[in-house]
């Protein structure tokens, strides 16, 4: 039995474990390790923040995973030895024939002075839940949706947050007493797709949302309630909703696998500089956004490669770097952008205007994966 140890049970880890189980469940012993007890879709955090659902309602418990050849362990990873393909957790040591690092990116709150004292982040479930209470009491003043560093997960999410905040305040009848500003390091909301960016910028203008591009929030001054941008500009605020700076988990950095903050991998195979060790998703450097759909695509390449090695089949095509992201425009409208990062000379994106069909499609995106990964 080939021992495959997967670190992290997000989009990448779940898809990889599922594919291996379906194809070679009787030939592999897959150990899937995550410190959490449940999975949450990233877009659900916005639903929690704006009171459309509860944290308990969006949790998919890992205990529901029941797949041939797969064993889930809720353990915290303490050390990774990529040369020996050995992982130490708070409950023991795991040896692997194939090791896959899919631990995502952590939030570096210390990198932005004042964010904990003066602001709020909405990229974690706990942060979104706290903001749900804060937003219910916010009835006037300036709100800033601010990105504190790039790259960050799900690039359209901050744009969505600004538009949904407009809806939320309008529904409460206080939008006229509030200002909304949106600060992002990119020149446009979705750089690979000019059409998507143009549509979002038009939506900001329509709803009176100030759009500040090419800037990041460098610090917050709690005493003065001021956000300081990276060019020294100061923006007073009454409410700050932040996207914290991201970084690879400490345990991955300590393993010696990272360069410039993340794990370099082959753009064709997702293999690292260590034989038999792969990295997929947000923890890896490959030239695609940090988003679940890209981690899922990378997992399919690794799974197909491992299955081919076991069964003697052909190796998969190189990772294409293609994926689709759904974007909430507010008022119950959902658009989609299809992006291709690796197959051409430069990234490209195709925009699909918001429609009722895309609302249904986004719902199916989540429900199909809940069924596939958790049997729901």
């Amino acid at each position: 039995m080939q021992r495959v140890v997967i670190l992290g049970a997000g989009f990448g880890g779940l898809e990889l474990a599922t594919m291996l189980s379906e194809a070679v469940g009787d030939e592999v012993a897959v150990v899937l390790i995550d410190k959490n007890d449940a999975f949450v879709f990233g877009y659900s955090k916005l639903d929690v923040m704006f009171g459309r659902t509860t944290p308990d309602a969006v949790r998919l418990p890992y205990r529901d995973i029941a797949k041939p050849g797969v064993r889930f362990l809720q353990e915290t990873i303490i050390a990774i030895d990529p040369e020996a393909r050995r992982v130490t957790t708070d409950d023991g040591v795991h040896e692997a024939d194939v090791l896959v690092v899919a631990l995502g990116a952590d939030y570096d709150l210390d990198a932005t002075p004042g964010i904990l004292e003066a602001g709020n982040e909405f990229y974690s479930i706990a942060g979104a839940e706290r903001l749900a209470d804060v937003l219910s009491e916010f009835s006037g003043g300036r709100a800033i949706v601010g990105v504190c560093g790039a790259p960050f997960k799900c690039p359209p999410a901050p744009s969505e947050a600004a538009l949904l905040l407009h809806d939320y305040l309008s529904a409460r009848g206080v939008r006229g007493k509030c200002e909304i500003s949106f600060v992002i390091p990119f020149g446009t909301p979705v750089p690979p797709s000019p059409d998507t960016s143009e549509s979002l910028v038009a939506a900001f203008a329509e709803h009176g949302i100030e759009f500040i591009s090419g800037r990041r929030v460098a610090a917050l001054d709690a005493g003065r309630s001021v956000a300081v941008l990276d060019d020294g500009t100061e923006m007073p605020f009454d409410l700050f909703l932040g996207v914290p700076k991201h970084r690879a988990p400490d345990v991955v950095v300590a393993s010696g696998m990272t360069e410039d903050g993340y794990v370099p991998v082959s753009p064709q195979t997702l293999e690292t500089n260590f034989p038999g060790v792969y990295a997929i998703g947000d923890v890896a450097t490959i030239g695609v956004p940090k988003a679940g759909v890209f981690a899922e695509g990378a997992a399919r390449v690794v799974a197909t490669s491992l299955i081919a090695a076991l069964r003697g089949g052909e190796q998969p095509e190189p990772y294409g770097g293609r994926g689709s992201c759904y974007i909430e425009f507010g008022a119950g409208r959902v658009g989609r952008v299809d992006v291709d990062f690796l197959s051409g000379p430069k990234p490209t994106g195709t925009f699909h205007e918001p429609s009722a069909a895309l609302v249904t499609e986004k719902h199916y995106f989540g429900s199909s994966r809940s069924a596939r990964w958790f049997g729901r």
Side-chain angles (χ1 to χ4, degrees), residues 347-372:
T348 59
T350 302
F351 179 55
H352 300 267
E353 293 282 352
S355 67
L358 287 176
V359 174
T360 302
E361 189 178 291
K362 180 185 177 182
H363 176 75
Y364 177 74
F365 175 87
S367 63
S368 63
R369 283 152 181 80
S370 297
R372 175 170 168 73

Side-chain angles (χ1 to χ4, degrees), residues 78-131:
I78 296 173
I80 302 170
D81 183 343
E83 291 187 351
R85 296 191 290 275
R86 181 183 302 117
V87 178
T88 303
T89 73
D90 57 355
D91 197 41
V93 176
H94 304 277
E95 308 277 354
D97 298 306
V98 175
L99 177 63
V100 183
V101 181
L103 287 169
D106 286 349
Y107 303 134
D108 189 357
L109 296 172
D110 293 334
T112 307
I115 191 171
L116 291 176
E117 297 80 14
N120 304 272
E121 58 83 15
F122 61 92
Y123 259 49
S124 69
I125 279 290
E129 189 174 13
R130 284 191 296 270
L131 265 167

Side-chain angles (χ1 to χ4, degrees), residues 150-170:
F152 55 91
K153 300 178 186 180
C154 193
S159 297
E160 294 179 297
L163 292 169
L164 293 176
L165 179 60
H166 165 82
D167 276 8
Y168 178 85
L169 297 174
S170 298

Side-chain angles (χ1 to χ4, degrees), residues 1-375:
M1 299 285 284
Q2 187 176 58
R3 300 168 300 174
V4 180
V5 176
I6 304 171
L7 309 182
F11 268 79
L14 288 167
E15 180 63 15
L16 177 57
T18 299
M19 285 188 67
L20 291 176
S21 175
E22 289 176 344
V24 289
D26 56 344
E27 300 176 48
V28 294
V30 176
V31 175
L32 179 61
I33 303 174
D34 200 289
K35 66 182 179 181
N36 299 301
D37 66 349
F39 170 80
V40 175
F41 287 102
Y43 59 76
S44 296
K45 296 165 190 173
L46 290 174
D47 294 330
V48 170
M49 181 168 73
F50 290 110
R52 303 194 295 195
T53 189
T54 66
D56 286 342
V58 298
R59 295 173 72 256
L60 296 169
Y62 290 127
R63 65 170 180 269
D64 291 347
I65 296 175
K67 301 183 182 301
V70 177
R71 182 164 56 112
F72 173 77
L73 299 176
Q74 186 183 355
E75 299 177 6
T76 299
I77 298 160
I78 296 173
I80 302 170
D81 183 343
E83 291 187 351
R85 296 191 290 275
R86 181 183 302 117
V87 178
T88 303
T89 73
D90 57 355
D91 197 41
V93 176
H94 304 277
E95 308 277 354
D97 298 306
V98 175
L99 177 63
V100 183
V101 181
L103 287 169
D106 286 349
Y107 303 134
D108 189 357
L109 296 172
D110 293 334
T112 307
I115 191 171
L116 291 176
E117 297 80 14
N120 304 272
E121 58 83 15
F122 61 92
Y123 259 49
S124 69
I125 279 290
E129 189 174 13
R130 284 191 296 270
L131 265 167
D133 293 332
V134 172
L135 284 170
S136 67
E137 301 295 325
F138 182 68
S139 299
R142 187 189 212 177
I144 297 177
V145 177
V147 179
C148 299
F152 55 91
K153 300 178 186 180
C154 193
S159 297
E160 294 179 297
L163 292 169
L164 293 176
L165 179 60
H166 165 82
D167 276 8
Y168 178 85
L169 297 174
S170 298
R172 288 183 49 223
V174 297
R175 179 65 178 94
K177 302 176 183 178
C178 303
E179 300 174 52
I180 301 175
S181 298
F182 172 36
V183 181
I184 189 171
F186 304 149
T188 60
V190 183
S193 175
D195 288 345
T196 307
S197 294
E198 183 180 332
S199 186
L200 284 168
V201 170
F204 299 151
E206 178 185 353
H207 298 312
I209 297 171
E210 180 186 25
F211 177 53
I212 301 172
S213 62
R215 298 268 69 92
R216 68 175 177 84
V217 177
L220 300 180
D221 186 326
R224 297 187 299 136
S225 294
V226 167
V228 182
L229 308 190
D230 56 353
D231 65 350
T233 300
E234 295 188 346
M235 297 179 63
F237 66 86
D238 299 284
L239 174 66
F240 183 83
L241 298 81
V243 178
K245 185 177 179 181
H246 292 28
R247 60 175 169 79
D250 289 338
V251 69
V252 177
V253 176
S255 74
M257 300 177 67
T258 60
E259 294 178 11
D260 298 325
Y262 292 96
V263 182
V265 296
S266 162
Q268 285 78 36
T269 66
L270 290 309
E271 193 165 16
T272 70
N273 295 327
F274 300 87
V277 181
Y278 299 81
I280 58 177
D282 298 348
V283 76
T285 296
I286 193 174
V288 300
K290 297 188 180 302
V293 67
F294 294 99
E296 184 179 1
R300 290 175 183 151
V301 172
V302 175
T304 304
S305 177
L306 297 179
I307 293 165
L310 281 170
R311 294 285 174 85
E314 293 185 4
Q315 287 294 312
E317 292 291 323
Y319 177 52
R322 290 180 288 273
S324 299
C325 292
Y326 298 96
I327 305 175
E328 292 219 32
F329 277 76
R333 300 179 304 139
V334 173
R336 193 185 80 216
V337 58
D338 303 331
V339 285
D340 182 337
F341 279 87
L342 302 179
S343 68
K346 66 177 184 178
T348 59
T350 302
F351 179 55
H352 300 267
E353 293 282 352
S355 67
L358 287 176
V359 174
T360 302
E361 189 178 291
K362 180 185 177 182
H363 176 75
Y364 177 74
F365 175 87
S367 63
S368 63
R369 283 152 181 80
S370 297
R372 175 170 168 73
W373 297 336
F374 295 93

